[in-house]
Amino acid sequence: MRIHFVAGTAILLLFWLVSALFFGFIGSFGNEYTASIITQIGIWLIPGLAFAYFFYDNFWDDLKIKNVGKCSDYGLFILLYAISFPFLAYLIKINEAMTFPESMAALEQMFREMEDKAKELTLRMLSGTSFMDLMSALLVMAVIPAICEEVFFRGVVLNNLMKRTSKLHLSVWLSAIFFSFVHFQFFGFLPRVVLGAFLGYAFVLSKSLWLPIVLHFLNNAIAVIAYYSYQKEWISEDPQTWETETATLWMAVLSLAASVGLLWFIFRRNKARSNSE
């Protein structure tokens, strides 16, 4: 990089703010699908690519786009995601049950109203039952967010932190916290932080942006397909309640332990592979 970390961060945030205001305004004139596509590309993809183009020494190499990654990395991280699911479900349950002190009741009400509006928008976009409705939902809610958000949060934010602090875990978790914070959904904050860290480790250990893009897509696509199946009455349980109703403490503890163990194995494997190269 040819720019100081603090200055680079300030410029990135400026890019993001200008794009958010401009594309948020443009998106307000379209329907929900069009607005979502415009805002995703405008708020995340364009600022991320612009920052990388102007301030990275090598655009393609620094974004880790050239390297597709190894098949074994994809397999291990998909397995890690599957193993971590009960823990994430329990975090969702805990986070949704959180309450604020009585003195902050107005703030809690505001956060819950924001959460309800986000859920209403999501459900409207998932309300179709045709095959084309499913394809549209997957495009808008899985493909585009996976590409746009991963370019911004892993390709730029995490990359920027890694290059300037040289502290892997600190960089991963700081970028994950930022990733969760800017979604402005307090009652989903904790599981989104863990998901952000999971995607961050995938990016760092595979040295490829494509792995977190694929994982991000899978996470969103599973939710879209599950709700579509519920709409078609292929499954009887509402996916929105299934996660929290089936999550138990002992399953969460086992899931966390297994996830940490597998992540440790991936780290050891990655280190051994680096030493042999």
Side-chain angles (χ1 to χ4, degrees), residues 30-47:
N31 59 36
E32 290 168 345
Y33 284 94
T34 304
S36 180
I37 292 171
I38 290 173
T39 52
Q40 285 281 343
I41 293 174
I43 293 175
W44 306 125
L45 185 63
I46 291 177

Side-chain angles (χ1 to χ4, degrees), residues 2 22-23 56 66 74 93 108 115 135 144 151 159 176 183 189 195 227 237 244-245 253 256 262 269 273 276:
R2 302 184 296 271
F22 177 74
F23 287 100
Y56 280 179
K66 279 186 177 180
Y74 285 81
K93 184 177 182 178
E108 179 180 349
E115 200 87 13
M135 292 297 101
I144 292 176
V151 166
N159 220 352
H183 280 79
F189 183 81
L195 179 62
Y227 196 78
E237 293 184 62
T244 53
E245 287 178 355
V253 171
L256 177 60
L262 181 54
R269 177 179 174 274
R273 189 168 63 189
S276 64

Side-chain angles (χ1 to χ4, degrees), residues 64 67-78 150 198-199 201-218:
K64 305 291 191 295
N67 180 25
V68 177
K70 298 182 182 299
C71 290
S72 56
D73 290 330
Y74 285 81
L76 285 170
F77 271 96
I78 290 172
E150 290 313 305
F198 167 72
L199 295 169
Y201 283 124
F203 174 74
V204 172
L205 293 175
S206 70
K207 299 176 182 177
S208 171
L209 187 62
W210 293 109
L211 177 54
I213 286 175
V214 168
L215 294 170
H216 197 143
F217 166 79
L218 285 175

Side-chain angles (χ1 to χ4, degrees), residues 44 149-150 153-154 174-184 192-193 195-197 199 216:
W44 306 125
E149 293 183 16
E150 290 313 305
F153 290 105
R154 259 54 70 177
L174 282 177
S175 64
I177 291 169
F178 180 59
F179 168 70
S180 185
F181 175 78
V182 297
H183 280 79
F184 300 112
R192 194 171 283 109
V193 169
L195 179 62
L199 295 169
H216 197 143

Side-chain angles (χ1 to χ4, degrees), residues 113-123 185:
E113 287 176 358
M114 291 171 62
E115 200 87 13
D116 290 340
K117 287 179 181 178
K119 285 182 179 179
E120 287 174 13
L121 174 60
T122 300
L123 292 178
Q185 291 177 289

